[in-house]
Amino acid sequence: MSDLKRWEPENDTFWQQEGNRIATRNLWISIPSLLCGFAVWMMWSIISVQMLNLGFPYSASELFTLAAIAGLSGATLRIPASFFVRLCGGRYTIFLTTSLLMIPAFGTGMALQDPNTPLWVFQLMALLSGIGGGNFAASMSNISFFYPKKKQGLALGMNAGLGNFGVTTMQILIPLFMTFGAFTLVGGGEPMILQKASGTLIGSIPAGSETWVQNAGFLWLLLLIPLAFAIWFGMNNIHTEEVTPKLPSAVGSFSIQLAMYGIGLATSVLGLWLILPESANGSGFSIPKELVLVLVPLATVMALKFLPGAIRASLERQYRIFNNKHTWVMSVLYVMTFGSFIGFAAALPLSIQVIFGYSHILVDGVMTHNTPNPNGPSALTYAWIAPFIGALIRPVGGWISDRLGGALVTQVCAVVMVIAALGAAYFMQQAYQSATPEQYFMPFFLLFLLLFAASGIGNASTFKTIAVVFPKEQAGPVLGWTSAVAAYGAFYIPQVFGEQIKAATPEYAMIGFAVFYALCLVLNWFYYLRKSGEFYNP
């Protein structure tokens, strides 16, 4: 498609005559590419459950690290991706970042064909899956430039909300595709035998059944290959001073993106090495994860500044967002909403399996948690519903925020999230001390559905506030940066759940999150809901 050298979405005449049509086409190609990004990024939450069911020679805590590795990588890659559109053009950016997903999709399918594949291979694939997480920052930044401010709430809600459906799509399609040899005619490998019962959207699968776990990776190639063509021939670069003032060639654009992504992957590897135990190919230094979550993004931002010439000059201009206190306030608020959504989406399937799939009984006066529960719910049957609701409701959150104001909607969401998190903590505590934990599953699950719904609406309402607070040139990079910070929830929440389950106190994780939500409630009121606040937007 041609590069757009005139783009004036705030001009009503331009918008009605041609802008709306072009923006709509780019949005509807952007959505499925972002959906695939989320699917590949978060697929380890389901793959790790099935690896446990198949008896792969790894502990539950080691399997939790796979989702956490993808989470850290995806969050870190959002930092360079936040600046791609201004440096490289939207069309070139979405094409390359979507096409790169074929590498972890194919590599994961190959690695899963052998249960003796070393752990580091799965960790490498999880690391590369983070490319899908990084795509969000570039995609949201790109779409924000196509739409006028008055329509950004709905447009960004559609892009992000339907893109978030990648989590649900993955949680539905992967279990279904693993039930038959979809790729055997093209060398897709042999089936394995389930050692523990599994499940799909339509019911449970008994132990002893055949499963094609490798299809969890291969199936995404069916979508990614045609999507690459659709992006190349259907999307546009906006070649204007406000969006991409110095548009490079396609090859030049790809080189810039690969170099910046390389820096993000390098800092991710360093952070993971510092934090992981020796048994999981880490340093064993036991560096606090909170410290690493500060050091990794800081190192990434600083390393990017060493890139030469025009890249450095453009980044320095965009880095002005870090001098604005509202960049940091909005980052914290978006951690509450999107950080919770993506973190719980990564941790929920394995948490259901570990908390409700085992009976917690006293043996010689010691509480044990390793007796299979024949009445336990299947994580693969239920886990998809929660992120489905969170993604489905996000466009609704954008529509409501356009009418009521982002800050008011965010405040209501924060109150609901505090209540839901505390309620979930109570039922988790009860279940983890019970021989029949399944009796607590439904109230626990319903509270998580409420938590996901509130976070989904809040995802859109915080972005609406960003559109009010920041000028157009800064809004795109701020959207990308806040999404990068929040995406560390995909690393942090699975890690916290894994640690607290190991300590036999899973409820402590939810109590801690509830305290954080309460702090966000106060922060949002002080800056954006007080009538005397600097950016009051009820």
Side-chain angles (χ1 to χ4, degrees):
M1 302 299 291
S2 62
D3 298 330
L4 304 173
K5 296 185 179 180
R6 179 194 174 210
W7 190 251
E8 302 172 3
E10 303 296 344
N11 181 327
D12 288 340
T13 302
F14 172 84
W15 179 253
Q16 292 171 10
Q17 289 180 349
E18 55 182 309
N20 185 32
R21 172 178 53 82
I22 295 172
T24 300
R25 184 184 68 243
N26 279 267
L27 175 63
W28 285 106
I29 298 175
S30 174
I31 287 171
S33 72
L34 185 55
L35 182 148
C36 285
F38 269 99
V40 173
W41 183 30
M42 301 304 294
M43 66 184 178
W44 293 97
S45 64
I46 294 298
I47 292 173
S48 59
V49 171
Q50 199 71 333
M51 291 171 73
L52 192 64
N53 292 334
L54 285 166
F56 275 64
Y58 311 116
S59 67
S61 61
E62 288 173 332
L63 292 176
F64 263 112
T65 67
L66 296 178
I69 287 169
L72 181 71
S73 171
T76 304
L77 292 181
R78 286 189 178 191
I79 298 173
S82 301
F83 309 107
F84 280 174
V85 174
R86 185 165 182 84
L87 287 167
C88 307
R91 172 179 169 237
Y92 293 158
T93 293
I94 304 305
F95 173 79
L96 181 66
T97 56
T98 301
S99 300
L100 286 174
L101 297 174
M102 298 179 197
I103 299 173
F106 179 77
T108 297
M110 295 299 293
L112 285 169
Q113 294 184 59
D114 183 1
N116 295 314
T117 299
L119 180 62
W120 70 264
V121 175
F122 292 116
Q123 290 176 321
L124 176 61
M125 291 301 105
L127 181 79
L128 295 177
S129 296
I131 293 170
N135 289 4
F136 181 84
S139 179
M140 294 298 283
S141 177
N142 185 48
I143 292 302
S144 74
F145 288 121
F146 276 97
Y147 283 85
K149 281 191 175 183
K150 64 183 179 181
K151 295 183 177 291
Q152 280 190 16
L154 180 58
L156 292 173
M158 290 284 288
N159 191 53
L162 298 180
N164 287 167
F165 267 118
V167 180
T168 299
T169 303
M170 173 274 298
Q171 291 178 335
I172 293 174
L173 290 183
I174 286 181
L176 288 175
F177 264 77
M178 289 191 297
T179 61
F180 63 100
F183 303 98
T184 52
L185 294 179
V186 290
E190 298 299 320
M192 299 181 191
I193 304 300
L194 286 169
Q195 296 184 10
K196 292 180 58 180
S198 181
T200 68
L201 170 68
I202 56 178
S204 62
I205 301 174
S209 301
E210 291 184 336
T211 190
W212 285 259
V213 66
Q214 62 270 27
N215 291 357
F218 290 144
L219 79 91
W220 304 113
L221 299 175
L222 300 177
L223 298 175
L224 291 169
I225 293 172
L227 257 178
F229 285 94
I231 294 166
W232 187 256
F233 293 107
M235 295 191 77
N236 300 91
N237 296 309
I238 303 179
H239 188 7
T240 66
E241 183 64 29
E242 192 177 50
V243 183
T244 310
K246 297 179 180 179
L247 181 66
S249 66
V251 173
S253 171
F254 298 157
S255 299
I256 292 170
Q257 292 177 66
L258 290 172
M260 294 174 71
Y261 259 176
I263 290 173
L265 288 171
T267 55
S268 296
V269 169
L270 177 60
L272 289 165
W273 181 75
L274 289 172
I275 204 170
L276 291 177
E278 286 188 83
S279 60
N281 299 314
S283 64
F285 292 164
S286 299
I287 304 294
K289 56 185 174 297
E290 292 80 7
L291 178 60
V292 171
L293 290 184
V294 173
L295 292 177
V296 169
L298 180 62
T300 305
V301 168
M302 296 305 295
L304 288 171
K305 290 188 70 173
F306 286 99
L307 290 171
I311 303 174
R312 179 175 180 176
S314 178
L315 286 175
E316 286 179 346
R317 179 173 177 175
Q318 296 184 74
Y319 277 6
R320 293 173 189 171
I321 65 173
F322 299 131
N323 297 325
N324 189 333
K325 66 183 177 183
H326 294 285
T327 298
W328 304 102
V329 174
M330 291 309 306
S331 295
V332 173
L333 294 180
Y334 200 55
V335 167
M336 175 185 72
T337 57
F338 182 77
S340 297
F341 171 86
I342 204 67
F344 289 138
L348 185 60
L350 202 52
S351 297
I352 292 174
Q353 186 79 359
V354 173
I355 296 173
F356 299 95
Y358 293 89
S359 297
H360 311 287
I361 56 178
L362 287 171
V363 176
D364 297 328
V366 177
M367 180 64 72
T368 63
H369 308 281
N370 55 7
T371 302
N373 177 17
N375 300 315
S378 169
L380 302 188
T381 300
Y382 287 95
W384 67 273
I385 301 174
F388 172 81
I389 289 176
L392 181 68
I393 207 167
R394 183 165 183 163
V396 177
W399 179 79
I400 295 172
S401 299
D402 281 341
R403 284 153 180 77
L404 301 181
L408 178 60
V409 176
T410 300
Q411 194 78 351
V412 174
C413 291
V415 173
V416 172
M417 292 177 74
V418 170
I419 296 171
L422 291 175
Y426 170 77
F427 289 108
M428 289 171 75
Q429 190 271 337
Q430 294 296 308
Y432 212 62
Q433 301 297 320
S434 174
T436 55
E438 67 276 6
Q439 65 182 307
Y440 301 105
F441 175 71
M442 196 49 63
F444 158 87
F445 189 63
L446 291 175
L447 284 165
F448 256 90
L449 296 186
L450 182 61
L451 197 59
F452 270 86
S455 70
I457 293 174
N459 283 340
S461 65
T462 48
F463 272 9
K464 176 62 179 178
T465 301
I466 288 174
V468 171
V469 172
F470 296 91
K472 186 87 173 177
E473 181 182 342
Q474 290 190 346
V478 170
L479 287 171
W481 170 258
T482 56
S483 73
V485 174
Y488 282 105
F491 166 76
Y492 188 77
I493 289 178
Q495 282 287 96
V496 170
F497 267 112
E499 291 171 0
Q500 293 304 319
I501 285 173
K502 190 174 182 179
T505 54
E507 69 276 9
Y508 285 6
M510 296 305 299
I511 293 172
F513 298 141
V515 171
F516 173 68
Y517 301 151
L519 292 174
C520 291
L521 187 152
V522 174
L523 199 63
N524 181 68
W525 170 82
F526 183 84
Y527 283 103
Y528 308 119
L529 204 54
R530 282 189 310 144
K531 290 188 177 180
S532 58
E534 185 179 353
F535 290 100
Y536 173 63
N537 69 112

